[in-house]
Every structure is written in structure tokens, then in C-alpha cells.
Amino acid sequence: MKGALTGWRRNLAVLWLGTFIAGMGFSEVMPFLSLYVGQMGDFSKNELTMYSGITYAVTFFVVAVVSPLWGKLADRRGRKIMLLRSSLGMAFVIGAMGFVHNIWILILLRFLQGLCAGYIPNASALIATETPKESSGTAIGILTTGYVSGNLIGPILGGVLAQVFSIRLTFIITGILLLIVFVLSLTLVHESFKPSDAPIAKRDGSLLSQFKNLTLIITLLVSTMIIQMGNNSITPIISLYVKELMHNVGPITVVAGIIAALPGISTLLSAPRLGRLGDHRGADRILVFGFVFAILMYFPQGFVSSVWTLGLLRFMIGISDGALFPTVQTLLSKNTPRELTGTIFSWNQSFQAAGSMLGSLLGGAVSGWFDYNGVFIFTALSLLLNFIGVLIFIPSMRHPFAKHSVD
């Protein structure tokens, strides 16, 4: 491998595999986590719902809170050491979940999983700092396919492993895979990290002032949250919506699984191409395209009468994700001082986790108020407001086809 791939390309290959396994490990427990919670005690239906909700939410909550702290530490000590901390910590914590028999210990381990999070943003930060600027959009686009495909395959693989072996053994297998990620990151990832010579107190005190365009940074972070909120607002109701469209007849769970997987497939296919296009044509153009395309694809999902039409529109949403998420990361990296790259990518993860929490909560609430189709309309309107905010606070986005660019 060393002879074939060197420098930033080898980093990209190793970290693609690492983010793939990390994304898979994070997502593969989702299909059966509620079932596993049910094995922790003789719970009533309401108790099971409550404990499942806490078990799901606690990890996202912790990630949202601690990610900026880990990012700050990454900028002082290096991103590679954060990769090692995260992969080794998740290996032991997720593996340990296979041995618990008490709901509160499981919740504690999910809490610790949130503390161990950070592999993906630190991988993104390392790629952003170790890759030549002219190739950073392409590299981040390729890296995006790693954790997107991991998140895509994770639930399918997790369901198969749990069916063939057991839920407990699935946690242990995931832990072993993450241990392999730790070894690969330790031995094959190279970082030419040089800590800043500025005193820590001085750097901390003037953190915000080090960004040349703080308004742009804040706008992009909020955009990450709203884009992720839109993605997750659909998650609680997608299978129920499919059931309604199929009139409760046929292989509903299989179709729902395929529909849920379609955005990940199209993101996997489109993100590298859109990243390269952004490098050559300008990232601002790709961001504008992503917002407009997403809005146009979300609105009709609330009015479809066929599961085939829904599937086509969900596939198209993956294309907009392939434009939005990597482009936001590229613009963040190109408008952030090199020594603060870890901080900004961890902030980005924090906003993304907050979006996941908000999406799940608001998706359930909106579907209760306005039925399932209301969720898609709510998501489209949220993205439309976000896009208007981008046009207001990032003036160059109003003229994406002019020669100037925020990147």
C-alpha cells in the first residue's frame, strides 16, 4: 500500500476506510436498539418508549456538547491523536454494550460513546489540512462517501448480524472492527502537525477574532444543523409513510428499508463528482445548486401517491446531500485558519448532532400535528429559510456564477 499510495492520498485511503467503519459502527445498532432496550427489563410500552428515546438521544446530546472541546484540543495536540482516542474509545465502549443487562448501564455506555465521538470530523480536518488546497474539495467529497456509505450499510448489516448471530454479538463484532480502525490509523496515517507558537490563553481569548469572515462561518454551521435536521425529520415517519402509500399490503419493511437507503446511495455516487466540480467551478455554485435542488425535491414528497415516486424523490435528495455537506465542509476549511481547522470541524459535528436531535423531535411533532406529508413540507420550508439566510449573510452567494467566490 505504501508504494501505491503516498502522502495525502494514503491518508485519504486509510481515513476513508476508517470513516466508513466508524459511520457503520455508529448506525448499525439503530434498527435493533429499541429491541435491545426491551431485553434490559420487563418494561411497559410507555417505559420502553421512554427508555428507548433516552438511549437514542443521549449520544447525540453528548456529541453536541463536547465536540467543540475535542476540536480545541485537536488544534493544540494534533488531529491524529484525536483519531486514536475516538477509535480506541468507541471500540471498547461499543464492544462493552454486548455484555450489559441493565438499562442504566446501557444508557451510561451510550453516554460514553458520545464522549468518544469525533473520528469523522477529525478525519475531515486532517484531510483538509494535509491535502493541497486545489484538491481539498475533491478529497473531502471522497471522504464524505466513506461515512455516508458506512451510515447507509450500517443498519442493513446490523440487522443481518443481529438476525444471524445475536444483538449482543453484533456489538462485539463492531467493537473489533473499530479496533482495526485504531490500528490502521496508528500505523498508516501521517500528520505534519505543528502547534501554534501563540500562547494558549491568548489564542483562546481571541478565538472568534481569528476568523476573517465570522458571519460566513456561523451561517455555514447553522446550515449544517438545518440540513441535518431536514434529513432526520424524515427518519421517524418514513416507514409509516411507506406503509400508508402501500395501503398496508406487501413487503412494507423491505420497501421502507430500500427507500431509507436510496439517499445514501445517491450521495455516495454524487459527492466525489460534485466535489471535483466545486474545485473547478467554485464551491459557492455547488452550495446554491444543493439548496435549490433539495427544496424542489422535498416539497413534492408530501403529495406523492406512489411509493415509486417517493423512492425517486428520496434518491434525488441524496444528490442534494452530496452537494451540501461536503461543500459546507470545504468552505469551512478554506475560510478557517489552518491552526483552527480541528476546532471548526468539531463545531460542525456539534451542529450536525444538534440537527439530528432537533430533526427527530420536530419530525415526530409535525407528523402528529399535520400528518406525514406535513414533515416534508416543513423540511422544504426550513431549507428555504436557510437558503434565504445564506443569501443574506454570504453576499457572494447571490452571484454564484460570477468570477469571485467565497472559496
Side-chain angles (χ1 to χ4, degrees), residues 137-157:
T138 301
I140 290 175
I142 292 172
L143 189 70
T144 299
T145 67
Y147 60 81
V148 167
S149 54
N151 280 320
L152 167 67
I153 293 172
I156 301 171
L157 179 62

Side-chain angles (χ1 to χ4, degrees), residues 173-310:
I173 292 171
T174 303
I176 293 171
L177 290 173
L178 288 165
L179 197 58
I180 294 172
V181 171
F182 167 78
V183 174
L184 290 174
S185 301
L186 176 65
T187 56
L188 295 177
V189 172
H190 171 74
E191 180 184 27
S192 54
F193 176 74
K194 293 180 181 178
S196 173
D197 295 329
I200 290 175
K202 183 178 179 181
R203 292 206 313 271
D204 287 351
S206 58
L207 179 63
L208 297 180
S209 65
Q210 294 184 54
F211 295 100
K212 292 182 179 178
N213 192 341
L214 183 60
T215 301
L216 180 143
I217 296 295
I218 293 173
T219 303
L220 292 173
L221 291 173
V222 171
S223 296
T224 290
M225 182 178 70
I226 294 177
I227 296 163
Q228 185 65 14
M229 183 186 76
N231 283 339
N232 263 48
S233 68
I234 313 303
T235 303
I237 60 98
I238 190 70
S239 59
L240 300 174
Y241 194 39
V242 168
K243 181 179 178 180
E244 185 179 272
L245 291 173
M246 295 180 68
H247 307 291
N248 203 20
V249 176
I252 294 168
T253 55
V254 174
V255 174
I258 293 171
I259 296 255
L262 285 173
I265 294 172
S266 50
T267 300
L268 183 65
L269 295 173
S270 63
R273 292 168 175 80
L274 291 168
R276 285 193 293 271
L277 190 61
D279 284 337
H280 293 114
R281 301 285 185 174
D284 46 359
R285 299 181 182 184
I286 303 301
L287 192 67
V288 169
F289 160 77
F291 272 113
V292 173
F293 193 71
I295 293 164
L296 293 176
M297 292 301 107
Y298 267 116
F299 264 117
Q301 290 179 55
F303 302 98
V304 299
S305 57
S306 163
V307 73
W308 296 101
T309 307
L310 178 65

Side-chain angles (χ1 to χ4, degrees), residues 40 51 54-56 58-59 62 89 93-94 96-97 100 102-116:
M40 299 292 110
Y51 285 131
I54 294 172
T55 305
Y56 273 106
V58 67
T59 302
V62 176
V93 168
I94 294 178
M97 291 181 192
V100 301
N102 180 280
I103 182 59
W104 294 110
I105 296 178
L106 179 62
I107 290 172
L108 174 62
L109 288 172
R110 290 281 295 174
F111 179 92
L112 294 176
Q113 183 180 341
L115 286 179
C116 294

Side-chain angles (χ1 to χ4, degrees), residues 329-349:
Q329 291 180 335
T330 300
L331 291 173
L332 285 172
S333 71
K334 290 184 176 181
N335 289 275
T336 298
R338 181 184 175 90
E339 65 273 12
L340 293 177
T341 307
T343 294
I344 207 65
F345 273 89
S346 292
W347 283 3
N348 196 51
Q349 186 189 35

